[in-house]
Amino acid sequence: MKRISILAALFVGLMAFTSCESDRDDNPKVQLPSHQGATFFELNDPAVGSQAVDLQNSESIELKAHAAPDYGFPAEIIYGAQVALNQNFDADKTQTLTTTGSSTVYQALALEIDKALMLLRECYSEADFTTLFTEAERTTGMDIYIRMTAIMANATDSSSFVVSTAKPLKVIPYFVEALNTPPHFWYLVGGNIADGTWGNSKSGVGVSMIPFYTVKGETYSKATGDGVFSYTGYFSAGEFKIVADPGDWDHGMCGGTEKGGQVYRDGGDDPGNIKVENAGYYTLTLDTKAHTLQIAPYTEAVSVYTMITMPGDINSWDQANGNPLSPITTVSGGENHDWVCDVTFDGDFTDGVKFAADGAWTVNWGSAEFPWGVGVGNGPNIPYTKGGYKVFFNDITGQFMFVEKTE
């Protein structure tokens, strides 16, 4: 899933400008700054010149505009910077630095420049670094381009956004983790899923929607969160879809039956629902990067539980009543094996937590993994960290997820 900030969207390029109907002192007409006939403002050559800047051992690189952009009247301006691998600054090959300022003298933080280079080269590991950056680039430096950006501080749209002339820089990069995007969970929703209402919304997660779970041993893209996920449960005869994000019907897996024929929908016409013709237990394996889905019968023995709790140091290890989880599947004809609850940990774990069935310790699951993993019978305590989470647990596979709340 792509996440583009408002400023990043503004930085795609020069936007069209619509002037005000009148040019009074209390409503002045904005004019876009220009330099040598183009809509730019001028950036001085960086003081570092052609010297290679060791980003790992530097704090910042000073950029200085020749003058503040002239909007035709005094204005408070917010400055930023962008980095690219060539002077064209194509939208998909440009990274915007996080730090902004109010002065024509801007300190481009070395760490932010380095993170920008990791993203531009799609470098997410030490192994990537040695592959995607040549030895010469890693030791003597690489050529990049940098420019300043400016926008009026009170802007409500992109009409006052401008960029400076671009200047070359030589820098020595080092590996830094630029992104650590969590797994991007996709969801089941349909007439035979959860409460059966087809409710596709953020508030429906854990009510009308069931998430796919992470798979032990799989790795997930630190840029997109994509990878291989799975879900095991009982499917009554009926229809469902798999959606990539709550509220979005246009992207996900659709069509076919439990025997195959599913397709990825990337907008366009609806291929239809996935139809379950033969009720039963199935394991769905979803590759969210390759957009493929495999459905196979689950043939192991399955137990049905009346309740699941989460005993631990947060409730004095109360297996009978400690942090009970709610069943997600409540639709008529369904059989619940997924549980959900909200929990807030005021601090990091002391002893941890586990999952327990039917108010007793007879059947319990634990794991040394967090925030997602696979619980095993009588396994170790789960070592949680401080924060608020929505917890999901599957009692067939032992898969669990503590999904940190962001809203």
Side-chain angles (χ1 to χ4, degrees), residues 66-140:
H66 182 71
D70 181 8
Y71 289 104
F73 57 87
E76 184 180 352
I77 300 171
I78 297 175
Y79 296 94
Q82 291 180 313
V83 171
L85 299 180
N86 62 60
Q87 57 188 332
N88 295 329
F89 281 84
D90 297 326
D92 61 344
K93 298 179 181 177
T94 299
Q95 285 293 322
T96 300
L97 305 190
T98 303
T99 300
T100 59
S102 58
S103 170
T104 54
V105 178
Y106 175 88
Q107 299 296 330
L109 298 182
L111 176 60
E112 292 186 9
I113 294 174
D114 196 68
K115 286 185 176 181
L117 298 180
M118 298 302 110
L119 294 174
L120 288 169
R121 288 281 176 90
E122 299 184 356
C123 176
Y124 307 116
S125 68
E126 290 276 9
D128 286 346
F129 184 62
T130 58
T131 301
L132 298 173
F133 291 82
T134 67
E135 183 178 357
E137 288 176 329
R138 301 193 308 268
T139 55
T140 61

Coordinates of all heavy atoms in Angstrom, one line a residue, residues 66-140:
H66 N 19.8 31.8 -3.2 CA 20.3 33.1 -3.5 C 19.5 34.2 -2.9 O 20.0 35.2 -2.4 CB 20.4 33.2 -5.0 CG 21.0 34.5 -5.4 ND1 22.4 34.8 -5.3 CD2 20.4 35.6 -6.0 CE1 22.6 36.0 -5.8 NE2 21.5 36.5 -6.2
A67 N 18.2 33.9 -2.9 CA 17.2 34.9 -2.3 C 15.9 34.1 -2.1 O 15.7 33.1 -2.6 CB 17.0 36.1 -3.2
A68 N 15.1 34.7 -1.2 CA 13.8 34.1 -1.0 C 12.9 34.1 -2.3 O 13.0 35.1 -3.0 CB 13.1 34.8 0.2
P69 N 12.1 33.2 -2.5 CA 11.2 33.2 -3.7 C 10.3 34.5 -3.6 O 9.9 34.9 -2.5 CB 10.4 32.0 -3.5 CG 11.2 31.0 -2.7 CD 11.9 31.9 -1.8
D70 N 10.1 35.2 -4.7 CA 9.4 36.4 -4.7 C 8.0 36.1 -5.2 O 7.7 35.8 -6.4 CB 10.1 37.4 -5.7 CG 9.3 38.7 -5.8 OD1 8.4 38.9 -5.0 OD2 9.7 39.6 -6.6
Y71 N 7.0 36.1 -4.2 CA 5.6 35.9 -4.6 C 4.9 37.2 -4.9 O 3.7 37.1 -5.1 CB 4.9 35.2 -3.4 CG 5.4 33.7 -3.2 CD1 6.3 33.4 -2.2 CD2 4.9 32.7 -4.1 CE1 6.7 32.1 -2.0 CE2 5.3 31.4 -3.9 CZ 6.2 31.1 -2.9 OH 6.6 29.8 -2.8
G72 N 5.6 38.3 -4.9 CA 4.9 39.6 -5.3 C 4.5 40.4 -4.1 O 4.0 41.5 -4.2
F73 N 4.7 39.8 -2.9 CA 4.4 40.5 -1.6 C 5.1 39.7 -0.5 O 5.4 38.5 -0.7 CB 2.9 40.5 -1.4 CG 2.2 39.2 -1.4 CD1 2.1 38.4 -0.2 CD2 1.7 38.6 -2.5 CE1 1.5 37.2 -0.2 CE2 1.1 37.4 -2.5 CZ 1.0 36.7 -1.4
P74 N 5.3 40.3 0.7 CA 6.0 39.6 1.8 C 5.1 38.4 2.2 O 3.9 38.5 2.3 CB 6.0 40.7 2.9 CG 5.9 42.0 2.2 CD 5.0 41.7 1.0
A75 N 5.8 37.3 2.4 CA 5.1 36.0 2.7 C 6.0 35.2 3.6 O 7.2 35.1 3.4 CB 4.7 35.3 1.5
E76 N 5.4 34.5 4.6 CA 6.1 33.5 5.4 C 6.2 32.3 4.5 O 5.2 31.8 4.0 CB 5.4 33.2 6.7 CG 6.1 32.3 7.6 CD 5.4 32.0 8.9 OE1 4.3 32.7 9.1 OE2 5.8 31.1 9.6
I77 N 7.4 31.7 4.5 CA 7.7 30.6 3.6 C 8.2 29.4 4.3 O 9.1 29.5 5.3 CB 8.7 31.0 2.5 CG1 8.2 32.2 1.7 CG2 9.1 29.8 1.5 CD1 9.1 32.8 0.7
I78 N 7.8 28.2 3.9 CA 8.4 27.0 4.5 C 9.3 26.3 3.4 O 8.9 26.1 2.3 CB 7.2 26.0 4.8 CG1 6.3 26.5 5.9 CG2 7.8 24.6 5.3 CD1 5.1 25.7 6.3
Y79 N 10.5 26.0 3.8 CA 11.5 25.5 2.9 C 11.7 24.0 3.3 O 11.6 23.6 4.4 CB 12.8 26.2 3.1 CG 12.8 27.7 2.6 CD1 12.5 28.7 3.6 CD2 12.9 28.0 1.3 CE1 12.5 30.0 3.2 CE2 12.9 29.3 0.9 CZ 12.6 30.3 1.8 OH 12.6 31.6 1.4
G80 N 12.0 23.3 2.2 CA 12.4 21.9 2.4 C 13.4 21.5 1.3 O 14.1 22.4 0.7
A81 N 13.6 20.2 1.1 CA 14.6 19.8 0.1 C 14.2 18.4 -0.5 O 13.5 17.7 0.2 CB 16.0 19.7 0.7
Q82 N 14.7 18.2 -1.7 CA 14.5 16.9 -2.4 C 15.8 16.4 -2.9 O 16.7 17.2 -3.2 CB 13.5 17.1 -3.6 CG 12.1 17.5 -3.2 CD 11.2 17.7 -4.4 OE1 11.6 18.4 -5.3 NE2 10.1 17.0 -4.4
V83 N 15.8 15.1 -3.0 CA 17.0 14.4 -3.5 C 16.6 13.5 -4.7 O 15.5 12.9 -4.7 CB 17.7 13.5 -2.4 CG1 18.8 12.6 -3.0 CG2 18.2 14.4 -1.3
A84 N 17.5 13.4 -5.7 CA 17.2 12.5 -6.8 C 18.5 12.0 -7.4 O 19.6 12.6 -7.0 CB 16.5 13.3 -7.9
L85 N 18.4 11.0 -8.2 CA 19.7 10.4 -8.7 C 20.0 11.0 -10.1 O 21.1 10.8 -10.6 CB 19.5 8.9 -8.9 CG 19.2 8.1 -7.6 CD1 19.1 6.6 -7.9 CD2 20.4 8.3 -6.6
N86 N 19.1 11.8 -10.6 CA 19.5 12.6 -11.8 C 18.8 13.9 -11.7 O 17.9 14.1 -10.9 CB 19.1 11.8 -13.1 CG 17.6 11.5 -13.2 OD1 16.8 12.5 -13.2 ND2 17.2 10.3 -13.3
Q87 N 19.2 14.8 -12.6 CA 18.7 16.2 -12.5 C 17.3 16.4 -13.0 O 16.7 17.5 -12.9 CB 19.6 17.2 -13.2 CG 19.9 16.8 -14.7 CD 21.0 17.7 -15.3 OE1 21.2 18.8 -14.8 NE2 21.6 17.2 -16.3
N88 N 16.6 15.3 -13.5 CA 15.3 15.5 -14.0 C 14.2 15.5 -12.9 O 13.1 16.0 -13.1 CB 14.9 14.3 -15.0 CG 15.8 14.4 -16.2 OD1 16.2 15.5 -16.7 ND2 16.1 13.2 -16.8
F89 N 14.6 14.9 -11.8 CA 13.7 14.8 -10.6 C 12.3 14.3 -11.0 O 11.3 14.9 -10.7 CB 13.5 16.2 -10.0 CG 14.7 16.6 -9.1 CD1 15.9 17.1 -9.6 CD2 14.7 16.3 -7.7 CE1 16.9 17.4 -8.8 CE2 15.7 16.6 -6.9 CZ 16.9 17.2 -7.4
D90 N 12.3 13.2 -11.7 CA 11.0 12.5 -12.1 C 10.3 12.2 -10.8 O 10.9 11.8 -9.8 CB 11.3 11.2 -12.9 CG 12.0 11.5 -14.2 OD1 11.7 12.6 -14.8 OD2 12.8 10.7 -14.7
A91 N 9.0 12.2 -10.9 CA 8.1 12.0 -9.7 C 8.4 10.7 -8.9 O 8.5 10.7 -7.7 CB 6.7 12.1 -10.0
D92 N 8.6 9.7 -9.7 CA 8.9 8.4 -9.0 C 10.3 8.1 -8.7 O 10.7 7.0 -8.2 CB 8.3 7.2 -9.9 CG 9.0 7.2 -11.2 OD1 9.6 8.1 -11.6 OD2 8.9 6.1 -11.9
K93 N 11.2 9.1 -8.9 CA 12.6 8.9 -8.7 C 13.1 10.1 -7.8 O 14.3 10.5 -7.9 CB 13.4 8.9 -10.0 CG 13.0 7.6 -10.8 CD 13.8 7.6 -12.1 CE 13.3 6.4 -12.9 NZ 14.0 6.3 -14.2
T94 N 12.2 10.7 -7.0 CA 12.5 11.8 -6.2 C 12.1 11.5 -4.7 O 11.0 11.0 -4.5 CB 11.8 13.1 -6.7 OG1 12.2 13.4 -8.0 CG2 12.1 14.3 -5.8
Q95 N 12.9 11.8 -3.8 CA 12.6 11.7 -2.4 C 12.6 13.1 -1.7 O 13.6 13.8 -1.9 CB 13.5 10.7 -1.7 CG 13.3 9.3 -2.0 CD 12.0 8.8 -1.5 OE1 11.5 9.1 -0.4 NE2 11.3 7.9 -2.3
T96 N 11.6 13.3 -0.9 CA 11.5 14.6 -0.2 C 12.0 14.4 1.3 O 11.6 13.4 1.9 CB 10.1 15.1 -0.1 OG1 9.6 15.3 -1.5 CG2 9.9 16.4 0.6
L97 N 12.9 15.2 1.7 CA 13.4 15.1 3.1 C 12.4 15.5 4.1 O 11.5 16.4 3.7 CB 14.7 16.0 3.2 CG 15.8 15.7 2.2 CD1 17.1 16.4 2.7 CD2 16.1 14.2 2.1
T98 N 12.4 15.0 5.2 CA 11.4 15.2 6.2 C 11.5 16.6 6.9 O 10.4 17.3 7.1 CB 11.5 14.2 7.4 OG1 11.4 12.9 6.8 CG2 10.4 14.3 8.4
T99 N 12.7 17.1 7.2 CA 12.8 18.3 7.9 C 12.5 19.5 7.1 O 12.8 19.6 5.9 CB 14.3 18.4 8.4 OG1 14.6 17.3 9.3 CG2 14.5 19.7 9.2
T100 N 11.8 20.5 7.6 CA 11.5 21.8 7.0 C 12.0 22.9 7.8 O 12.3 22.7 9.0 CB 10.0 21.9 6.7 OG1 9.3 21.9 8.0 CG2 9.4 20.8 5.8
G101 N 12.0 24.1 7.3 CA 12.5 25.2 8.0 C 11.9 26.5 7.4 O 11.2 26.5 6.4
S102 N 12.2 27.6 8.1 CA 11.7 28.9 7.6 C 12.7 29.9 7.1 O 12.5 31.1 6.9 CB 10.9 29.6 8.8 OG 11.8 29.8 9.9
S103 N 14.0 29.4 6.9 CA 15.1 30.2 6.5 C 15.6 29.8 5.1 O 15.4 28.6 4.7 CB 16.2 30.1 7.5 OG 17.4 30.7 7.0
T104 N 16.1 30.8 4.4 CA 16.7 30.5 3.1 C 18.0 29.7 3.2 O 18.5 29.2 2.2 CB 17.0 31.8 2.3 OG1 17.8 32.6 3.1 CG2 15.7 32.5 1.9
V105 N 18.5 29.6 4.4 CA 19.6 28.7 4.7 C 19.0 27.4 5.3 O 18.5 27.4 6.4 CB 20.6 29.3 5.7 CG1 21.8 28.4 6.0 CG2 21.2 30.6 5.1
Y106 N 19.2 26.3 4.6 CA 18.6 25.0 5.0 C 19.6 24.0 5.3 O 20.5 23.8 4.5 CB 17.6 24.6 3.9 CG 17.0 23.2 4.1 CD1 15.8 23.1 4.8 CD2 17.6 22.1 3.6 CE1 15.2 21.9 5.0 CE2 17.0 20.8 3.8 CZ 15.8 20.7 4.5 OH 15.2 19.5 4.7
Q107 N 19.5 23.3 6.4 CA 20.4 22.2 6.8 C 19.8 20.9 6.3 O 18.9 20.4 7.0 CB 20.7 22.2 8.3 CG 21.4 23.5 8.8 CD 22.7 23.8 8.2 OE1 23.4 22.8 7.8 NE2 23.1 25.0 8.1
A108 N 20.3 20.3 5.3 CA 19.9 19.0 4.8 C 20.5 17.9 5.6 O 21.8 17.7 5.5 CB 20.2 18.8 3.3
L109 N 19.8 17.3 6.5 CA 20.4 16.3 7.4 C 21.0 15.1 6.7 O 20.3 14.5 5.8 CB 19.3 15.8 8.4 CG 18.7 16.9 9.3 CD1 17.8 16.3 10.3 CD2 19.8 17.6 10.1
A110 N 22.2 14.7 7.0 CA 22.9 13.7 6.3 C 22.1 12.4 6.5 O 22.0 11.6 5.5 CB 24.3 13.5 6.9
L111 N 21.5 12.1 7.6 CA 20.7 10.9 7.8 C 19.5 10.8 6.9 O 19.2 9.8 6.3 CB 20.3 10.8 9.3 CG 19.3 9.6 9.6 CD1 20.0 8.3 9.3 CD2 18.9 9.7 11.1
E112 N 18.9 12.0 6.7 CA 17.7 12.0 5.8 C 18.1 11.8 4.4 O 17.4 11.2 3.6 CB 16.9 13.3 6.0 CG 16.2 13.4 7.4 CD 15.4 14.6 7.5 OE1 15.2 15.3 6.5 OE2 14.9 14.9 8.6
I113 N 19.2 12.4 4.0 CA 19.7 12.2 2.6 C 20.0 10.7 2.4 O 19.7 10.1 1.4 CB 21.0 13.0 2.4 CG1 20.6 14.5 2.4 CG2 21.6 12.7 1.0 CD1 21.8 15.4 2.3
D114 N 20.7 10.1 3.4 CA 21.0 8.7 3.2 C 19.8 7.8 3.2 O 19.7 6.9 2.3 CB 21.9 8.2 4.4 CG 22.6 6.9 4.1 OD1 23.5 6.9 3.3 OD2 22.3 5.9 4.8
K115 N 18.8 8.1 4.0 CA 17.5 7.3 3.9 C 16.9 7.5 2.5 O 16.3 6.5 2.0 CB 16.6 7.7 5.0 CG 17.0 7.2 6.4 CD 15.9 7.6 7.4 CE 16.2 7.0 8.8 NZ 15.2 7.3 9.8
A116 N 17.0 8.7 2.0 CA 16.4 9.0 0.7 C 17.1 8.1 -0.4 O 16.4 7.5 -1.3 CB 16.5 10.4 0.3
L117 N 18.4 7.9 -0.3 CA 19.1 7.1 -1.2 C 18.7 5.6 -1.1 O 18.6 4.9 -2.1 CB 20.6 7.3 -1.0 CG 21.1 8.7 -1.3 CD1 22.7 8.7 -1.0 CD2 20.8 9.2 -2.7
M118 N 18.5 5.2 0.1 CA 18.1 3.8 0.3 C 16.7 3.6 -0.4 O 16.5 2.5 -1.0 CB 18.0 3.5 1.8 CG 19.2 3.6 2.6 SD 20.6 2.5 2.1 CE 21.7 3.8 1.4
L119 N 15.8 4.5 -0.2 CA 14.5 4.4 -0.9 C 14.6 4.5 -2.4 O 13.9 3.7 -3.1 CB 13.6 5.5 -0.3 CG 13.2 5.3 1.2 CD1 12.4 6.5 1.6 CD2 12.5 4.0 1.5
L120 N 15.4 5.4 -2.9 CA 15.6 5.5 -4.3 C 16.1 4.3 -5.0 O 15.8 3.9 -6.1 CB 16.4 6.7 -4.6 CG 15.8 8.1 -4.4 CD1 16.8 9.2 -4.5 CD2 14.7 8.3 -5.4
R121 N 17.0 3.6 -4.3 CA 17.6 2.3 -4.8 C 16.8 1.1 -4.3 O 17.2 0.0 -4.6 CB 19.1 2.2 -4.3 CG 20.0 3.2 -5.1 CD 20.4 2.7 -6.4 NE 21.2 3.6 -7.2 CZ 22.5 3.7 -7.1 NH1 23.2 2.8 -6.4 NH2 23.2 4.6 -7.8
E122 N 15.7 1.3 -3.5 CA 14.9 0.2 -3.0 C 15.8 -0.8 -2.2 O 15.8 -2.0 -2.4 CB 14.2 -0.5 -4.1 CG 13.2 0.4 -4.8 CD 12.3 -0.3 -5.8 OE1 12.5 -1.5 -6.0 OE2 11.4 0.3 -6.4
C123 N 16.6 -0.2 -1.3 CA 17.6 -0.9 -0.5 C 17.0 -1.1 0.9 O 16.9 -0.1 1.6 CB 18.9 -0.2 -0.5 SG 20.2 -0.9 0.5
Y124 N 16.7 -2.3 1.3 CA 16.1 -2.5 2.6 C 16.9 -3.5 3.5 O 16.4 -3.9 4.5 CB 14.7 -3.1 2.4 CG 13.9 -2.2 1.5 CD1 13.4 -2.7 0.2 CD2 13.6 -0.9 1.8 CE1 12.7 -1.8 -0.6 CE2 12.8 -0.1 1.0 CZ 12.4 -0.5 -0.2 OH 11.7 0.3 -1.1
S125 N 18.1 -3.8 3.1 CA 18.9 -4.7 4.0 C 20.4 -4.5 3.6 O 20.7 -3.9 2.6 CB 18.6 -6.2 3.7 OG 18.9 -6.6 2.4
E126 N 21.2 -5.0 4.5 CA 22.7 -4.9 4.3 C 23.0 -5.6 3.0 O 23.9 -5.2 2.2 CB 23.4 -5.5 5.5 CG 23.4 -4.7 6.8 CD 24.4 -3.6 6.8 OE1 25.1 -3.4 5.8 OE2 24.5 -3.0 7.9
A127 N 22.4 -6.8 2.8 CA 22.6 -7.5 1.5 C 22.3 -6.7 0.3 O 23.0 -6.7 -0.7 CB 21.9 -8.9 1.5
D128 N 21.1 -6.0 0.4 CA 20.7 -5.1 -0.7 C 21.8 -4.1 -1.0 O 22.1 -3.7 -2.1 CB 19.4 -4.4 -0.4 CG 18.2 -5.4 -0.5 OD1 18.3 -6.5 -1.0 OD2 17.1 -5.0 0.0
F129 N 22.3 -3.5 0.1 CA 23.2 -2.4 0.0 C 24.5 -2.8 -0.8 O 24.9 -2.0 -1.7 CB 23.7 -2.0 1.4 CG 24.5 -0.7 1.4 CD1 24.1 0.5 0.9 CD2 25.8 -0.8 2.0 CE1 24.9 1.6 0.9 CE2 26.7 0.3 2.0 CZ 26.2 1.5 1.5
T130 N 25.0 -4.0 -0.5 CA 26.2 -4.4 -1.3 C 25.9 -4.8 -2.7 O 26.8 -4.8 -3.5 CB 26.9 -5.6 -0.6 OG1 26.0 -6.7 -0.5 CG2 27.4 -5.2 0.8
T131 N 24.6 -5.0 -3.0 CA 24.3 -5.4 -4.3 C 23.9 -4.2 -5.2 O 24.2 -4.0 -6.3 CB 23.1 -6.4 -4.3 OG1 23.5 -7.6 -3.6 CG2 22.6 -6.8 -5.7
L132 N 23.1 -3.3 -4.5 CA 22.5 -2.1 -5.3 C 23.5 -0.9 -5.3 O 23.2 -0.1 -6.2 CB 21.2 -1.7 -4.6 CG 20.1 -2.8 -4.6 CD1 18.9 -2.4 -3.7 CD2 19.7 -3.1 -6.0
F133 N 24.5 -0.9 -4.5 CA 25.4 0.2 -4.5 C 26.8 -0.4 -4.9 O 27.2 -1.3 -4.2 CB 25.5 0.9 -3.2 CG 24.3 1.7 -2.8 CD1 23.2 1.1 -2.3 CD2 24.2 3.1 -3.1 CE1 22.0 1.8 -2.0 CE2 23.1 3.8 -2.8 CZ 22.0 3.2 -2.2
T134 N 27.4 0.2 -5.9 CA 28.7 -0.4 -6.3 C 29.8 -0.1 -5.2 O 29.6 0.7 -4.3 CB 29.2 0.3 -7.6 OG1 29.5 1.7 -7.4 CG2 28.1 0.1 -8.7
E135 N 30.9 -0.9 -5.3 CA 31.9 -0.7 -4.3 C 32.5 0.8 -4.4 O 32.8 1.4 -3.4 CB 33.1 -1.7 -4.6 CG 34.2 -1.6 -3.6 CD 35.3 -2.6 -3.8 OE1 35.2 -3.4 -4.7 OE2 36.3 -2.6 -3.1
A136 N 32.6 1.3 -5.6 CA 33.1 2.7 -5.8 C 32.1 3.6 -5.1 O 32.5 4.6 -4.4 CB 33.2 3.0 -7.2
E137 N 30.8 3.4 -5.2 CA 29.8 4.3 -4.6 C 29.9 4.2 -3.1 O 29.8 5.3 -2.4 CB 28.4 4.0 -5.1 CG 28.2 4.4 -6.5 CD 26.8 3.9 -7.0 OE1 26.3 2.9 -6.5 OE2 26.2 4.6 -7.9
R138 N 30.2 3.0 -2.6 CA 30.2 2.8 -1.1 C 31.5 3.4 -0.5 O 31.5 3.6 0.7 CB 30.0 1.4 -0.8 CG 28.7 0.7 -1.3 CD 28.5 -0.6 -0.6 NE 29.6 -1.5 -0.8 CZ 29.8 -2.4 -1.7 NH1 28.9 -2.5 -2.7 NH2 30.9 -3.2 -1.7
T139 N 32.5 3.5 -1.3 CA 33.8 3.9 -0.7 C 34.3 5.3 -1.1 O 34.8 6.0 -0.3 CB 34.9 2.9 -1.2 OG1 34.9 2.8 -2.6 CG2 34.6 1.5 -0.6
T140 N 34.1 5.7 -2.4 CA 34.6 7.0 -2.8 C 33.5 8.0 -3.1 O 33.7 9.2 -3.3 CB 35.5 6.8 -4.1 OG1 34.7 6.3 -5.2 CG2 36.7 5.9 -3.8

